[in-house]
Amino acid sequence: MIEQHSPSPETGEEMIELMEKNSSSASGREEMIEIFGAREHNLKNIDITIPKNQLVVITGISGSGKSSLAFDTIYAEGQRRYMESFGAYARQFIGDMERPDVDKITGLSPVISIEQKTTNRNPRSTVGTVTEVYDFLRLLYARIGEAYSYNTGRRMVKFSEEEIVTNIFQKFNGKKISVLSPLVRGRKGHYRELFEDIRKKGFVKVRVDGDVKDLIPRMQVDRYKIHDIEVVIDRLAVTADMKTRVSQSVQTALQMGKGLMFLLINDSNIVVQYSKQLMCDETGISYEEPSPNSFSFNSPYGACPVCKGLGSVYRISLDAIMPDKKKSVNEGGILPLGGEREAYTFTQVQKLAKKHKFSLDTVIEDMPAKGLNLILYGNIEGASEDILKIDENETVTANTEYEGLVPMLKRWFSGSSNDMLHEWVEKYMELRTCDSCNGARLKKESLWFRIDKKNIAELSNLNLDKLAVWFNDIEKRLNNKQNTIAKDVLKEIRERLQFLLDVGLTYLTLNRPTRTLSGGESQRIRLATQIGSQLQGITYILDEPSIGLHQRDNQRLILALQNLRDIGNSIIVVEHDKEIMMAADYLVDIGPKAGFHGGRIVAQGKPASMLKLNTITADYLNGRRKIALPAERRKGNGKFLELSGAKGNNLKNVNARFPLGKFIVVTGVSGSGKSTLINETLYPILSHHVYGSKGQALEYKSIKGLDNIDKVIEIDQSPIGRTPRSNPATYCGFFTDIRTLFASIPEAKIRGYTAGRFSFNVKSGRCEVCEGGGMRVIEMNFLPDVYVHCEKCNGKRYNRETLEIRYKGKSISDVLDMTVDEACEFFINVHYLYRKIKVLQEVGLGYITLGQSAVTISGGEAQRVKLGTELSKRETGKTFYILDEPTTGLHFEDISHLLDVLNKLVDRGNTVLVIEHNMDVIKVADHLIDLGPEGGDGGGEILFEGIPEELIRVKRSFTAKFLKQEMK
């Protein structure tokens, strides 16, 4: 069935039949999700039928209502029904979830949403823990791992009682032996009570520091020396008739020695160790029996005791505290103290200087060590080994005397719950790899368990494709016993690894923290986890899973989605990617435009039939519309940034030239090193040069041409705020102008209202129930928090008196509810406001409201809000802009608008650098830098630098292959 609905108001939603309708039998209806009267956000009371157990793609211009239908209607109703299934007792703690604005939904199965915005920020969360691969790996090492001594590197041994007895008869048959049980090993003390206790148990001899002695009453040893004490359990000859006695003596020795016993060969005075635990037979050190927790960095049984399983530790950085040692303390040479002033801490330092007779006017590099130590550490001796280390669990108490600047910073960081204070102290700290575990996160003993000569941390650091290869034929490298034990665990690990490879994440490692993943990567990991769970009868709703994925890997993602569908699930994907649209079983196009002008079903049906329609989406799919190639590529201003010897992460000592005054696009397959080169090497260098920021660039040799730029701006996809209070108006800064405008209204002046009265963060004018948020947060404990409208102000944020002030008939709340398009029209005569709001319209955000909560703004929209904010500022013509995948969440038509904006920036003499996979952006670049050829260790090389026409001739480049098709 293919339907196109005319959006014109004169004809209503007239349906054009392009294919024969299926008969609407009862059985057919059971295989459909039917939605009646959906009005959430901008949806125009739409009715739609979506087939179940198929791959359905919802597309349309950005802001047309795709997410409103998929997430705010279908998913919200599924979640609400799940909550309704709880008992009355449980629901009283959860509260009621608001029903989406829809008349009826039928045929809806349980829903699982896989969004971009749900990345875990916990530093302990890694790719391995999220996908459960690491959990199975821990189990594998606990069951078949072989222990080695961290002292000698030799294989550790352990014996059962029967094996010890057998070994004694094999090695020492006919010899005279003494069976010893160790009680004290390498400790000081007189041990008078211990000797008395042994004597009372009936034993007559002990071995003290290698000498066998008779036990006598009131026996003791030198309390200030280190001793080894063993009790002599038995002395006998190893003969066949003594087997029972040997067995009993071994049992007693192991019992008293807590699993450890010694055998003294009387003739040669040689001591042999036996242990029921894992033990090094040369040095005598022993390990506890391994369990899965022994390999968990989130458990005290496995975590490195120094970094607590994080792999890195915070340290106070003296370079950050004293960046310029040519200044004196009074001139502000010690940054946390500041310059000379009437502050309590500074007064204490002045008293200290007076008491110990040193001057605060002396430059820091010439100050006596005693004086500097007193200021920094509160003592004359200086820093101890641990004083610079930060332990967040450490309780540091305040001193009435001056305690020293470093202990003070430690106390504020560890003992304060104030986020602003935490952030301030962090400026004087650095995150270093833990010296104890070298970033492996685990304690020393856990890292000496090996399978095929590799420990668990080494496997976690392998790229997933290399890890899969290592596991492929592991059975050949294991013995029969290990193979029998590991059979089922290996099957689970291989399956989960294959799912991750199937969604194109070959370049990640298991120990990669999830907070460093892009939205697309975290979404694909969750997708792989869901495929691994093998659930059936679920409705999965995904939000642009192709983000950050190179065209080469798109086919893998499509196969993964089809796999999820084939095991019996319904897949609904909000997507703009052409390949995924054409691979769908059913396509829904929402539009025709964004915001108020969208919210209608423009067309629906099978992709092949959709191509025949006259819609914006169909025009781009069938080639009637396209983003044109530029008439000529810009020549630039002839100046360059030249970066040499970049070696961060997987970069292979690369040299890159960035021509200024051009539109530069950096491309390459996922994981090839694009973000490493630009975000982690180039941007920190430029930021430090322009602003003096302290971000550390990854390893590089040199950079030339920094004098050719005077401003650098990175526009990423991080949220513009993390609470419902943040919104585009406050972020862009024009909300202050709006508040000032309302405060200038005569009625406001009569009442004595200032601009502060119209802030929802100030008590006087806001609604006090929701404290100006407009929403109340319901904590769900085991689910994400749910936001519901405040019952007092009904989401308006302000109290009644504030809302009575009106400008052109609109209250401050009405203005916040306006879309950018509406606000441009409303404020057209207020030039200073109109100019700032108009920029948001130019970057394709005409459909969002001025007061739209930051938590509902996608990564792509947040990036464009930031881009709009930067456009409203005055640029210098020597500005270097860096954008990471700005086409995220954009329809073909929106990409065209975005390119217009970026080209305007370049035309003014600025340089715009974009990291991108989208072929429409790549083909219009003035200069391309292509990295590859593969991801991870197989990448990190610059394959090509130049114009797109020349790239298509590079055979090693995967980008070239797809660009060639696009430029035909």
Side-chain angles (χ1 to χ4, degrees):
M1 181 176 69
I2 180 82
E3 304 165 3
Q4 180 178 11
H5 302 273
S6 165
S8 67
E10 292 83 12
T11 57
E13 292 199 356
E14 184 187 347
M15 194 183 348
I16 302 172
E17 297 292 337
L18 295 173
M19 290 179 69
E20 208 170 282
K21 279 190 175 182
N22 293 324
S23 61
S24 57
S25 62
S27 61
R29 286 186 176 277
E30 285 173 13
E31 293 304 309
M32 296 285 180
I33 299 171
E34 295 183 298
I35 300 156
F36 301 97
R39 294 176 295 276
E40 195 68 32
H41 297 155
N42 67 330
L43 296 179
K44 302 290 193 295
N45 199 28
I46 61 172
D47 299 345
I48 182 172
T49 302
I50 297 172
K52 289 175 77 170
N53 300 329
Q54 290 196 17
L55 174 55
V56 178
V57 170
I58 300 177
T59 191
I61 284 177
S62 306
S64 59
K66 305 180 299 298
S67 294
S68 297
L69 176 63
F71 291 98
D72 301 327
T73 304
I74 300 173
Y75 174 64
E77 176 62 10
Q79 193 183 32
R80 188 190 69 81
R81 290 182 187 182
Y82 171 62
M83 292 299 169
E84 290 288 317
S85 69
F86 287 5
Y89 178 74
R91 285 212 307 276
Q92 70 177 340
F93 299 107
I94 297 170
D96 291 326
M97 282 189 66
E98 200 171 321
R99 181 187 173 88
D101 193 0
V102 61
D103 292 340
K104 187 170 74 166
I105 299 181
T106 61
L108 186 60
S109 54
V111 291
I112 291 177
S113 139
I114 305 178
E115 297 179 76
Q116 302 166 30
K117 298 192 280 276
T118 49
T119 309
N120 194 334
R121 309 304 299 175
N122 188 335
R124 295 184 177 279
S125 176
T126 65
V127 171
T129 58
V130 168
T131 56
E132 298 176 354
V133 174
Y134 192 73
D135 297 331
F136 284 103
L137 210 52
R138 291 192 292 120
L139 182 62
L140 188 72
Y141 269 83
R143 297 295 174 256
I144 68 166
E146 295 172 334
Y148 291 82
S149 167
Y150 56 72
N151 279 345
T152 63
R154 291 178 57 172
R155 175 93 179 270
M156 298 187 88
V157 292
K158 66 174 179 176
F159 299 95
S160 65
E161 288 177 16
E162 294 79 10
E163 285 173 331
I164 293 171
V165 173
T166 306
N167 192 273
I168 289 171
F169 274 90
Q170 281 175 354
K171 286 187 174 181
F172 311 112
N173 198 13
K175 294 188 177 181
K176 291 182 179 178
I177 60 167
S178 296
V179 179
L180 312 176
S181 181
L183 301 180
V184 174
R185 303 185 74 193
R187 296 210 314 268
K188 293 179 181 179
H190 56 65
Y191 297 109
R192 189 188 308 139
E193 294 84 2
L194 178 68
F195 289 130
E196 195 60 32
D197 186 49
I198 296 168
R199 199 170 66 83
K200 284 178 181 176
K201 287 180 179 173
F203 297 104
V204 293
K205 289 186 182 290
V206 287
R207 184 169 176 263
V208 180
D209 300 331
D211 296 327
V212 177
K213 298 180 178 180
D214 290 325
L215 263 172
I216 56 172
R218 300 176 71 180
M219 180 177 178
Q220 66 180 55
V221 289
D222 188 336
R223 68 180 296 178
Y224 298 110
K225 289 185 179 176
I226 293 171
H227 301 289
D228 292 321
I229 300 171
E230 299 99 29
V231 59
V232 179
I233 302 294
D234 201 355
R235 296 190 298 168
L236 70 165
V238 182
T239 55
D241 58 330
M242 286 289 196
K243 189 156 189 175
T244 306
R245 184 170 160 185
V246 170
S247 182
Q248 287 172 344
S249 298
V250 166
Q251 190 176 6
T252 307
L254 289 170
Q255 203 170 352
M256 288 188 71
K258 294 179 180 171
L260 182 64
M261 63 163 277
F262 297 162
L263 208 65
L264 176 65
I265 314 305
N266 294 345
D267 299 342
S268 56
N269 213 30
I270 291 172
V271 175
V272 180
Q273 296 186 19
Y274 291 102
S275 175
K276 288 177 78 172
Q277 295 178 330
L278 289 163
M279 186 195 75
C280 173
D281 54 6
E282 189 174 314
T283 60
I285 61 164
S286 65
Y287 297 167
E288 289 181 7
E289 196 65 28
S291 70
N293 271 352
S294 305
F295 303 97
S296 169
F297 44 79
N298 294 327
S299 162
Y301 298 106
C304 165
V306 176
C307 64
K308 307 289 189 294
L310 291 172
S312 52
V313 288
Y314 272 115
R315 287 174 64 92
I316 301 289
S317 168
L318 295 181
D319 289 336
I321 287 175
M322 302 176 293
D324 185 0
K325 293 187 179 175
K326 296 194 183 299
K327 285 184 177 180
S328 69
V329 175
N330 279 340
E331 290 171 336
I334 298 179
L335 285 186
L337 276 180
E340 185 178 3
R341 64 194 198 283
E342 294 290 323
Y344 174 69
T345 307
F346 206 94
T347 310
Q348 281 188 306
V349 170
Q350 287 171 329
K351 288 177 183 175
L352 201 70
K354 192 173 180 182
K355 180 179 175 183
H356 293 275
K357 296 183 174 61
F358 61 88
S359 171
L360 298 180
D361 287 319
T362 309
V363 295
I364 290 170
E365 62 184 5
D366 295 336
M367 271 185 83
K370 178 183 84 170
L372 200 56
N373 286 341
L374 282 165
I375 294 172
L376 293 176
Y377 311 112
N379 62 53
I380 294 170
E381 295 78 29
S384 65
E385 180 63 30
D386 295 326
I387 197 164
L388 296 174
K389 289 181 183 172
I390 297 278
D391 182 356
E392 294 192 42
N393 299 318
E394 181 183 6
T395 52
V396 188
T397 51
N399 237 320
T400 49
E401 295 179 10
Y402 180 72
E403 58 188 310
L405 191 62
V406 169
M408 202 182 298
L409 290 172
K410 283 180 68 175
R411 174 165 58 81
W412 286 339
F413 186 79
S414 304
S416 172
S417 57
N418 186 321
D419 288 342
M420 287 180 67
L421 191 58
H422 259 248
E423 283 178 23
W424 181 76
V425 176
E426 272 183 27
K427 291 194 294 187
Y428 307 110
M429 298 193 313
E430 57 186 350
L431 200 59
R432 282 194 185 173
T433 302
C434 173
D435 295 329
S436 176
C437 65
N438 289 320
R441 297 172 170 240
L442 296 171
K443 65 182 182 184
K444 185 164 53 176
E445 293 85 350
S446 302
L447 294 172
W448 281 88
F449 282 83
R450 304 276 166 86
I451 296 176
D452 189 30
K453 300 178 185 174
K454 286 196 180 290
N455 66 31
I456 194 167
E458 288 170 326
L459 290 189
S460 298
N461 283 322
L462 288 177
N463 285 355
L464 294 181
D465 51 356
K466 291 192 173 179
L467 185 62
V469 169
W470 189 86
F471 271 109
N472 272 350
D473 57 351
I474 186 66
E475 283 89 351
K476 295 175 185 174
R477 306 192 293 277
L478 300 178
N479 59 40
N480 289 338
K481 182 183 174 185
Q482 286 176 316
N483 274 321
T484 306
I485 296 168
K487 183 182 173 186
D488 292 336
V489 182
L490 288 173
K491 176 174 171 281
E492 292 287 347
I493 290 174
R494 282 185 184 130
E495 277 184 3
R496 280 166 167 74
L497 281 177
Q498 192 55 49
F499 296 142
L500 287 166
L501 301 182
D502 288 346
V503 293
L505 296 171
T506 55
Y507 55 92
L508 293 183
T509 60
L510 291 182
N511 73 345
R512 172 88 176 260
T514 52
R515 62 179 177 175
T516 65
L517 298 172
S518 69
E521 284 169 340
S522 62
Q523 195 176 21
R524 290 196 291 281
I525 281 176
R526 292 183 65 204
L527 177 61
T529 308
Q530 289 299 331
I531 297 171
S533 68
Q534 296 287 297
L535 293 173
Q536 296 179 3
I538 303 291
T539 299
Y540 285 103
I541 305 177
L542 292 92
D543 190 5
E544 288 200 80
S546 66
I547 292 170
L549 205 57
H550 192 272
Q551 252 67 14
R552 181 196 71 160
D553 300 317
N554 252 2
Q555 208 53 43
R556 287 176 172 177
L557 175 64
I558 291 165
L559 287 170
L561 293 170
Q562 289 171 340
N563 182 2
L564 201 55
R565 172 201 67 190
D566 294 342
I567 59 177
N569 298 297
S570 306
I571 317 295
I572 298 174
V573 183
V574 175
E575 188 56 89
H576 296 291
D577 184 82
K578 184 176 180 178
E579 278 188 72
I580 294 179
M581 284 192 218
M582 297 311 294
D585 302 315
Y586 198 79
L587 195 56
V588 177
D589 190 8
I590 297 183
K593 296 289 177 72
F596 175 78
H597 304 291
R600 293 186 170 91
I601 306 296
V602 176
Q604 61 186 105
K606 293 191 179 299
S609 306
M610 292 274 282
L611 294 178
K612 302 170 188 172
L613 302 182
N614 186 23
T615 67
I616 295 175
T617 304
D619 285 351
Y620 276 102
L621 288 177
N622 59 28
R624 283 198 296 265
R625 286 194 200 197
K626 56 171 67 174
I627 292 170
L629 290 170
E632 62 173 337
R633 313 278 177 190
R634 294 180 187 85
K635 299 284 187 271
N637 58 21
K639 296 173 182 174
F640 293 85
L641 279 178
E642 296 183 51
L643 178 66
S644 305
K647 294 181 182 177
N649 294 339
N650 65 334
L651 293 181
K652 296 186 172 69
N653 196 26
V654 300
N655 304 321
R657 292 184 87 206
F658 303 95
L660 302 180
K662 286 189 178 185
F663 181 38
I664 306 169
V665 176
V666 178
T667 184
V669 298
S670 308
S672 58
K674 303 182 298 298
S675 295
T676 300
L677 178 65
I678 305 303
N679 297 338
E680 298 179 62
T681 307
L682 180 66
Y683 175 68
I685 296 169
L686 300 182
S687 185
H688 178 73
H689 167 72
V690 176
Y691 309 114
S693 56
K694 295 185 178 64
Q696 284 289 314
L698 295 179
E699 186 183 354
Y700 71 100
K701 185 179 177 184
S702 65
I703 187 163
K704 295 178 186 171
L706 288 176
D707 295 336
N708 298 322
I709 64 161
D710 60 7
K711 196 173 175 186
V712 59
I713 294 163
E714 184 186 39
I715 305 171
D716 60 15
Q717 294 191 12
S718 59
I720 59 170
R722 299 195 180 277
T723 67
R725 292 176 177 282
S726 305
N727 58 51
T730 55
Y731 184 85
C732 295
F734 57 76
F735 189 49
T736 306
D737 297 327
I738 293 173
R739 291 192 289 112
T740 306
L741 180 67
F742 269 83
S744 67
I745 294 167
E747 178 67 21
K749 287 182 176 178
I750 292 167
R751 296 190 185 190
Y753 292 171
T754 62
R757 175 83 193 195
F758 299 95
S759 167
F760 44 75
N761 294 321
V762 176
K763 278 189 176 182
S764 58
R766 72 183 183 189
C767 164
E768 282 308 312
V769 174
C770 61
E771 297 181 331
M775 313 280 274
R776 283 198 312 109
V777 183
I778 296 176
E779 291 183 6
M780 306 298 284
N781 296 326
F782 52 90
L783 287 168
D785 292 343
V786 171
Y787 295 93
V788 297
H789 278 297
C790 168
E791 62 275 9
K792 178 80 184 289
C793 66
N794 198 26
K796 291 188 181 295
R797 298 172 179 254
Y798 296 93
N799 58 29
R800 182 176 53 80
E801 293 79 10
T802 307
L803 293 173
E804 286 171 355
I805 306 298
R806 294 181 174 266
Y807 172 75
K808 289 168 70 174
K810 300 286 185 183
S811 70
I812 186 87
S813 177
D814 295 333
V815 170
L816 286 173
D817 286 339
M818 286 180 183
T819 64
V820 169
D821 288 338
E822 291 166 347
C824 281
E825 204 173 314
F826 186 74
F827 290 113
I828 194 164
N829 296 320
V830 187
H831 298 298
Y832 63 90
L833 253 176
Y834 174 75
R835 185 173 55 82
K836 293 178 181 178
I837 301 172
K838 178 71 177 170
V839 178
L840 287 180
Q841 193 180 42
E842 286 175 359
V843 294
L845 292 175
Y847 59 90
I848 66 169
T849 60
L850 301 186
Q852 184 168 333
S853 168
V855 296
T856 66
I857 289 177
S858 70
E861 287 169 337
Q863 190 173 32
R864 277 176 286 148
V865 169
K866 293 175 187 178
L867 181 60
T869 308
E870 292 304 330
L871 284 171
S872 65
K873 297 176 183 175
R874 299 193 175 193
E875 86 290 321
T876 59
K878 292 170 74 176
T879 305
F880 198 99
Y881 292 91
I882 296 175
L883 291 89
D884 194 349
E885 290 199 71
T887 60
T888 297
L890 294 189
H891 187 269
F892 308 109
E893 186 75 358
D894 300 306
I895 292 171
S896 178
H897 294 317
L898 175 74
L899 288 171
D900 290 342
V901 172
L902 296 179
N903 281 320
K904 277 182 192 172
L905 285 173
V906 183
D907 290 339
R908 293 175 193 166
N910 303 298
T911 307
V912 174
L913 185 149
V914 174
I915 300 172
E916 192 54 82
H917 293 295
N918 188 291
M919 289 297 153
D920 285 323
V921 176
I922 294 170
K923 73 183 183 184
V924 300
D926 299 320
H927 185 81
L928 284 178
I929 299 174
D930 189 40
L931 280 89
E934 294 288 340
D937 292 341
E941 300 174 44
I942 291 182
L943 302 179
F944 172 81
E945 293 181 84
I947 59 173
E949 285 80 1
E950 291 172 3
L951 172 62
I952 59 178
R953 294 198 286 269
V954 179
K955 290 182 180 175
R956 288 181 72 204
S957 169
F958 287 105
T959 307
K961 177 182 165 189
F962 292 96
L963 185 61
K964 192 173 184 178
Q965 297 169 6
E966 192 68 32
M967 292 182 71
K968 281 178 182 175

